[in-house]
């Protein structure tokens, strides 16, 4: 299947769908400025060493946690302030997720990419509000969506005059507490936009720990290599200095000290695919 030829520009300095692999990475939630800076500075240095374009990711609000008692983040104001400081100090683009239409304009003052969570990928008003900010829009494929149906989510963003839209694969629901990645979805969605593979949420077990999500990070390298070999434009990887103590999604995050080996491995497989295409 032919690759879709279009590209997406991020902050005028990163071309998604171009010659360089792109990484969206950071801690799941913006727990603190210190955690974000420790993570972001190390990942940025690794990406510079490995010739990978880097976008820092963290969430100011996790509105889709399993339980109402789960940590959501440092609030909209506090979380965006952390992201604003990280962007200034690290000099990297920022991606963060929005859950409500009214959040888009405020988040776009800080973020270079607005991420639409998988559960919300069909929400027309949210997609259109994100599109109207003029920032790049990253849509996660819903766990309940066929890959070919993501074309319509892309069309909603482009219908607002914003062509900087791309898709992310993060697995499909397979029974309870289990996700399965159908690698066919990568070339199918690549007909419409550049595609990112979400390494860490693909090994998530939604609600699998009774009130919170579990995860099987030991399978992350296998899925990541398969996606790289199938052909994607980049990867989404959540990482943390100490995932066991992370306030959100710890079981599926890659420990920060393992990221260099992980990224080196991933880059080799990604280059193998690009060499043969």
């Amino acid at each position: 299947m032919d690759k879709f030829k279009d590209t997406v520009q991020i902050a005028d300095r990163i071309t998604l769908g171009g010659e360089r692999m792109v990484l969206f990475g950071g801690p799941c939630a913006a727990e603190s400025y210190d955690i974000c800076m420790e993570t972001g500075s190390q990942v940025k240095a690794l990406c510079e060493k490995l010739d990978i374009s880097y976008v820092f990711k963290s969430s100011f609000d996790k509105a889709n946690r399993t339980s109402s008692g789960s940590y959501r983040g440092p609030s909209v104001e506090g979380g965006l302030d952390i992201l604003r400081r990280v962007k200034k100090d690290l000099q990297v683009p920022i991606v963060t997720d929005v859950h409500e239409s009214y959040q888009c304009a405020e988040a776009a003052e800080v973020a270079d990419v607005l991420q639409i969570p998988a559960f919300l990928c069909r929400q027309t008003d949210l997609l259109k509000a994100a599109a109207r900010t003029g920032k790049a829009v990253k849509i996660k494929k819903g766990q309940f969506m066929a890959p070919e149906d993501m074309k319509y989510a892309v069309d909603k963003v482009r219908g607002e005059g914003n062509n900087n839209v791309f898709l992310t694969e993060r697995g499909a629901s397979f029974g309870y507490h289990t996700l399965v990645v159908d690698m066919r979805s990568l070339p199918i969605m690549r007909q419409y936009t550049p595609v990112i593979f979400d390494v860490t949420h693909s090994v998530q077990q939604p609600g699998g720990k009774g009130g919170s999500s579990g995860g099987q990070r030991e399978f992350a390298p296998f899925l990541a290599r398969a996606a790289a070999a199938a052909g994607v434009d980049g990867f989404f990887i959540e990482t943390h200095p100490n995932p066991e103590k992370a306030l959100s999604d710890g079981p599926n995050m890659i420990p920060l000290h393992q990221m260099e080996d992980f990224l080196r491995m991933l880059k080799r497989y990604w280059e193998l695919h690009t060499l043969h295409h």
Side-chain angles (χ1 to χ4, degrees):
M1 193 171 288
D2 288 337
K3 223 178 173 188
F4 181 76
K5 299 296 189 259
D6 213 353
T7 56
V8 166
Q9 288 301 124
I10 296 171
D12 296 327
R13 53 186 155 147
I14 291 177
T15 300
L16 183 63
E19 300 300 312
R20 294 181 87 198
M21 180 175 129
V22 181
L23 173 69
F24 300 81
C28 180
E31 300 173 18
S32 70
Y33 171 77
D34 290 343
I35 290 284
C36 286
M37 281 301 294
E38 180 181 356
T39 306
S41 58
Q42 288 190 44
V43 176
K44 179 187 178 186
L46 289 175
C47 286
E48 286 174 349
K49 186 179 355 180
L50 298 172
D51 192 34
I52 297 170
S53 296
Y54 179 48
V55 181
F56 177 84
K57 184 272 165 182
S58 201
S59 300
F60 62 83
D61 179 29
K62 304 299 295 183
N64 52 4
R65 300 300 305 276
T66 304
S67 164
S68 61
S70 296
Y71 177 76
R72 283 187 56 161
S75 80
V76 174
E77 294 77 15
L80 286 177
D81 185 57
I82 289 171
L83 294 179
R84 185 178 288 108
R85 292 167 63 198
V86 168
K87 180 177 180 174
K88 177 174 176 287
D89 294 345
L90 279 184
Q91 291 294 297
V92 295
I94 300 285
V95 58
T96 196
D97 27 13
V98 286
H99 295 84
E100 304 275 359
S101 301
Y102 72 83
Q103 294 176 337
C104 293
E106 191 174 1
E109 292 177 11
V110 179
D112 303 280
V113 183
L114 297 182
Q115 177 172 278
I116 307 298
F119 291 130
L120 302 177
C121 69
R122 288 178 52 138
Q123 297 297 107
T124 302
D125 291 344
L126 179 60
L127 288 162
K128 287 179 174 251
R132 285 194 294 267
T133 66
K135 297 302 175 86
V137 180
K138 176 180 183 295
I139 313 173
K140 288 197 162 187
K141 179 176 78 65
Q143 301 91 327
F144 46 86
M145 292 285 286
E148 55 268 26
D149 291 343
M150 291 306 294
K151 174 185 184 297
Y152 305 108
V154 170
D155 288 345
K156 289 175 183 179
V157 174
R158 288 188 175 143
E160 298 299 308
N162 187 342
N163 290 319
N164 280 330
V165 55
F166 57 107
L167 296 171
T168 301
E169 171 59 73
R170 51 100 12 108
S173 294
F174 189 80
Y176 301 119
H177 304 154
T178 304
L179 297 171
V180 168
V181 178
D182 179 356
M183 291 295 165
R184 295 175 303 174
S185 69
L186 303 174
I188 290 170
M189 293 195 298
R190 194 62 182 76
Q191 297 174 96
Y192 319 129
T193 70
V195 172
I196 298 298
F197 181 65
D198 183 340
V199 173
T200 42
H201 287 98
S202 292
V203 296
Q204 189 185 59
Q205 295 174 304
K209 291 180 74 177
S212 67
S213 291
Q216 296 176 303
R217 76 167 68 96
E218 66 271 23
F219 293 120
F222 300 98
L223 291 179
R225 285 196 292 266
V232 290
D233 301 287
F235 299 88
F236 179 99
I237 303 176
E238 288 186 339
T239 180
H240 192 282
N242 187 351
E244 309 311 322
K245 294 196 171 167
L247 299 178
S248 174
D249 267 357
N252 44 275
M253 280 199 274
I254 306 296
L256 187 56
H257 71 271
Q258 294 178 10
M259 279 293 283
E260 179 164 8
D261 287 344
F262 198 95
L263 288 175
R264 281 187 185 280
M265 172 271 294
L266 209 45
K267 182 90 187 298
R268 285 199 301 271
Y269 277 79
W270 188 81
E271 286 174 337
L272 276 173
H273 177 269
T274 54
L275 277 174
H276 288 92
H277 290 75

